[in-house]
Amino acid sequence: MMTCDWDATSGWHHPKIEPIGELKIHPGAKVLHYASELFEGMKAYRGVDNKIRMFRPEMNMARMKRTAIRAALPDFDSEEMINVLTEMLRLDQEWVPNSDVCSLYMRPTLIGTDPTLGVGCATEAKMFVITGPVGAYYSTGFQPVSLLADSRFIRAFPGGVGAYKMGCNYAPTIWVGKEAASKNCQQVLWLYGENEDLTEVGTMNIFLFWKNEEGDMELITPPLHRGLILPGVTRDSLLELGREWGEYKVTERTLNMQEVKKALAEKRLYEMFGSGTACVVSPVGKILYHNKVTDEYEELHIPTMSSKHGVMQKFYNTINDIQYGRLIKDGWMRD
Ligand code: PMP
């Protein structure tokens, strides 16, 4: 693991990479009381040429810096952090699986550690990075997920911190996840506002491929500007590839449940999928929608798995080819 301490007087100390062990922390530490914590989730891949590379680490570090500032935790130098991650990968190279379906997950974390119970800026902090190999996400092919969509539960709101990767965004979702599981749903479709706008799915961004009311084939994902959505690295990558291919319209816009229901009824909705580092893409097969007017649940079947358009599949194949070095996309893989 890597650890690096910071204090307000002397700034960042020297980073250390040593065998993983427990952290010693004062019980008054800010992180333990006010959730002064943020993290990143990224992966390193062993390419078909046996070279180890990270996927767009600059984007993770940029997001981590934005989050650190919003969390009143110390800012840091992105390039220094990428150097540290690269050095960890050099030392831990045997832990990067020799397989083009596996990878090494990397979890940079930043916590406020000063033992002062006042709610205020951290004067001491600790950055650490832990890693671990992860196996194939889809060992038996794509598995479509069922989503609970219930606007009585909210993940984020304008002016809040939904756009930042802070631990405090995740703890309150665990109970909702249990609620979803009790209804045989694997993930939560996070809705927001009067119109029940779609925002995210579980810990993924959401994409929809449909024929819009004007008759255009269109890939849609909700926009970032309201601060409700985590700006996913995968989301950004899919948008860039979709725009580059020019095979259909690519739109970032607010999308609500009524539009989804109407498109389904008119058989214009072809694919819905989540996007994220863990899985690249994750097909949606069903939405269990809580109708707030009738207070009843409705089952909406999403035909992602039988789509002839193959939009999700092409994204999956392309991102995988890039990550394992079979396809070069300038500036995306870093060794
Ligand atoms: N939304 C949330 C809430 C997440 O936790 C994640 C995972 N980081 C994502 C979206 C997807 O982001 P990325 O593509 O960077 O993994």
Side-chain angles (χ1 to χ4, degrees):
M1 71 186 293
M2 189 287 289
T3 53
C4 189
D5 289 324
W6 174 91
D7 69 74
T9 320
S10 45
W12 288 105
H13 303 197
H14 281 292
K16 282 189 289 217
I17 300 176
E18 47 196 3
I20 194 159
E22 286 167 13
L23 295 178
K24 193 156 178 264
I25 195 165
H26 192 285
K30 280 215 163 48
V31 60
L32 300 177
H33 300 269
Y34 311 124
S36 297
E37 192 266 3
L38 58 97
F39 63 99
E40 267 306 320
M42 49 205 292
K43 283 177 171 180
Y45 306 83
R46 189 182 291 275
V48 287
D49 56 356
N50 207 27
K51 250 193 171 173
I52 294 166
R53 300 180 182 87
M54 288 180 277
F55 181 68
R56 308 189 74 187
E58 304 81 10
M59 294 223 40
N60 293 93
M61 288 304 109
R63 185 168 70 190
M64 192 169 180
K65 271 172 79 79
R66 286 197 301 275
T67 306
I69 289 161
R70 182 64 178 81
L73 283 166
D75 194 4
F76 58 91
D77 187 304
S78 290
E79 277 303 309
E80 279 291 320
M81 262 303 275
I82 293 175
N83 288 341
V84 165
L85 296 170
T86 307
E87 179 59 12
M88 284 187 84
L89 287 174
R90 192 183 65 78
L91 291 167
D92 268 350
Q93 51 190 283
E94 293 306 318
W95 284 101
V96 186
N98 212 324
S99 149
D100 66 358
V101 285
C102 305
S103 53
L104 186 79
Y105 186 74
M106 310 185 88
R107 169 55 63 92
T109 312
L110 178 56
I111 57 176
T113 49
D114 47 305
T116 43
L117 288 180
V119 178
C121 278
T123 56
E124 291 171 26
K126 188 186 282 293
M127 177 90 83
F128 59 90
V129 184
I130 52 177
T131 66
V134 285
Y137 198 89
Y138 296 114
S139 45
T140 54
F142 283 125
Q143 299 297 328
V145 291
S146 298
L147 313 179
L148 175 66
D150 186 333
S151 57
R152 291 173 296 183
F153 308 119
I154 289 175
R155 190 193 84 93
F157 43 86
V161 292
Y164 302 95
K165 212 162 165 60
M166 297 181 190
C168 67
N169 283 333
Y170 295 82
T173 67
I174 296 169
W175 182 85
V176 188
K178 272 173 62 180
E179 190 68 11
S182 75
K183 296 183 162 47
N184 288 322
C185 294
Q186 290 87 32
Q187 301 276 356
V188 177
L189 176 58
W190 297 104
L191 304 176
Y192 176 76
E194 271 304 292
N195 297 330
E196 303 187 320
D197 300 331
L198 281 70
T199 62
E200 301 202 71
V201 46
T203 57
M204 293 180 285
N205 294 118
I206 186 149
F207 282 84
L208 186 143
F209 183 69
W210 72 357
K211 186 190 281 181
N212 66 23
E213 302 222 38
E214 289 74 49
D216 308 314
M217 301 303 264
E218 187 177 36
L219 179 77
I220 294 199
T221 194
L224 302 176
H225 65 84
R226 292 196 293 174
L228 302 174
I229 288 168
L230 191 83
V233 177
T234 319
R235 175 187 182 280
D236 185 84
S237 308
L238 301 196
L239 286 173
E240 184 170 332
L241 289 173
R243 285 179 178 136
E244 204 175 281
W245 294 335
E247 294 166 2
Y248 38 74
K249 255 181 107 167
V250 177
T251 307
E252 291 171 75
R253 78 144 167 98
T254 303
L255 178 77
N256 65 45
M257 276 309 294
Q258 289 314 313
E259 290 178 283
V260 168
K261 285 177 71 172
K262 185 160 187 277
L264 272 176
E266 294 171 1
K267 301 205 178 332
R268 291 186 286 110
L269 202 169
Y270 308 117
E271 300 184 21
M272 188 184 275
F273 49 95
S275 76
T277 296
C279 58
V280 183
V281 291
S282 173
V284 175
K286 195 180 90 177
I287 299 175
L288 185 64
Y289 172 61
H290 173 261
N291 186 320
K292 65 179 174 183
V293 180
T294 60
D295 196 27
E296 277 171 7
Y297 291 93
E298 299 170 11
E299 269 196 18
L300 310 176
H301 291 275
I302 316 289
T304 314
M305 295 303 286
S306 52
S307 164
K308 303 278 179 289
H309 300 278
V311 170
M312 181 195 74
Q313 181 78 53
K314 182 167 173 181
F315 280 132
Y316 182 75
N317 295 347
T318 307
I319 296 274
N320 264 287
D321 284 348
I322 293 168
Q323 289 173 336
Y324 292 100
R326 290 183 294 259
L327 181 69
I328 305 297
K329 174 94 173 108
D330 273 346
W332 276 16
M333 298 309 288
R334 180 129 168 194
D335 54 28

